[in-house]
Amino acid sequence: MASAKTCISYLRNSPISLSFRPQSRLPLPIFLPNQQYRCAGGQTSANAAKYKRKDQGTQQKKKKARTTFIQYDLRDAEQFSLCDAMRYIRAFEVGRAPTSSKYELHLKLRTLKNGAVVRNRLRLPHPVKTDLRICVICPSDSKSAAAARAAGATIVGEDTVFDAVKDGRIEFDRCICHIDSLQKLQKAGLGRVLGPRGLMPSAKLGTVVKDVGATVKDMVGGSEYRERLGVVRMAIGQLGFTPEEMQRNIRAFVDGVKKDIAQLSDRIAKGIHEVVLSSTNGPGFSLNGEFRGPESVSTKELSTL
Amino acid sequence: HADVIRKFWQHYLPRLKYHNPAIPMTVDRTQTQSGPATLTIFFTQPTNPSDPTTPLPAPTSSTSGDTAPSASYVPTERTVSINMKHRTDAEILTQFMEATKATVVEATPEELEEMRELEEQGARSQRDSARSMEVNKQRKREADMLAQARGDIAAQAA
């Protein structure tokens, strides 16, 4: 019976045949609420009794929260040497100004979620952000004024500064004062102008100092970092830096973080898990710790714009 | 048009930069779109004809401002300009390659494998997302019907 066979095979292969999908949702005669389906007297049907869960599965649903952050195996990750990563990042940042795009380093730590965090200031060998304008209040012709100018202060002086501030021309971001000029400063009454901006020098904040040159140098180069959600992130260079400059900066940063971790109490088990180099407009590249690989481009070629 | 030039900047220029890391490539942007749009290539004269592969001294070796310009830098004499307005980015690229006599870097078999795998992954994820969207839509539809039914019952009982 060829025709019957073809009929059956047609039925089996037709697209409208029923497929047995597992029914995980309620079988719905939807216009009646659930209660009317329980049998009277609390007796369950035989079918329901067969499939009723005997264990206490529904009471143990609370999931345990993780105490540490997830760590991925670094052997699966694709890692790069510094020169290779810089070559890729420079390609991603092509056409941007060499001072506008910054490299950033992310240190992923092995740590508890609710433990102590690493937080500190650091001076990089090659500072990233160097355009902090500092105003120094001290007699214009003294030794401290010369030291301040050498260290890179923008505005140095006494009466000239007072007049400028009173006029409203505040062209600086930080202000420090020499101890000897403090009296004059307080008499000049600049608190009205500088106070609300947080620029008024005061002994409490450490902005009234004896050694002006060293303080200015301190302020200009320092960059701060802190650990957020198990990662320490900091800007570590500008796009125009050479691989050697980047290497020095990266070494200084990683050494600084390692020292901070060691200074935490001995009970805390923190460690550096992964180091990732990225930039403002580029992706992240996990670093394997080497400066250059066997096929890396020479550092001279990575130094030009 | 600004879009085409931006596409050239974002698609082709990174590849050029990756394969020629020593060549400086800069982009100057203007506020208005109405001005001219040109791609200028600066050529240097090879001083040592017997050894054309050594890179010539560049203007500066470090653009972080630490070093002064090197003394052996010779400014360029020959320039080639390409007008980018009203051209597609593929045309700009072909003109550029002709002007610089560039050699095409072919993808290695491993890289071709990777690209193929990524494409397959993309296709797979699209199929998966369509399927899961179906399931979620169905679930939402039933939840809505249930809520509507309960609302009807409450209205009837009241």
Side-chain angles (χ1 to χ4, degrees), chain B residues 65-118:
Chain B
D66 285 353
T67 55
S70 72
S72 49
Y73 171 62
V74 175
T76 59
E77 289 163 11
R78 182 163 89 90
T79 62
V80 169
S81 293
I82 302 174
N83 181 24
M84 294 198 285
K85 276 215 158 193
H86 309 298
R87 302 252 162 90
T88 64
D89 35 352
E91 286 174 10
I92 301 175
L93 184 70
T94 43
Q95 277 198 311
F96 177 82
M97 284 181 23
E98 278 169 43
T100 55
K101 300 196 199 18
T103 51
V104 177
V105 176
E106 297 293 336
T108 65
E110 293 98 18
E111 286 168 1
L112 286 171
E113 268 294 312
E114 272 184 34
M115 292 205 293
R116 202 173 47 79
E117 265 176 45
L118 284 173

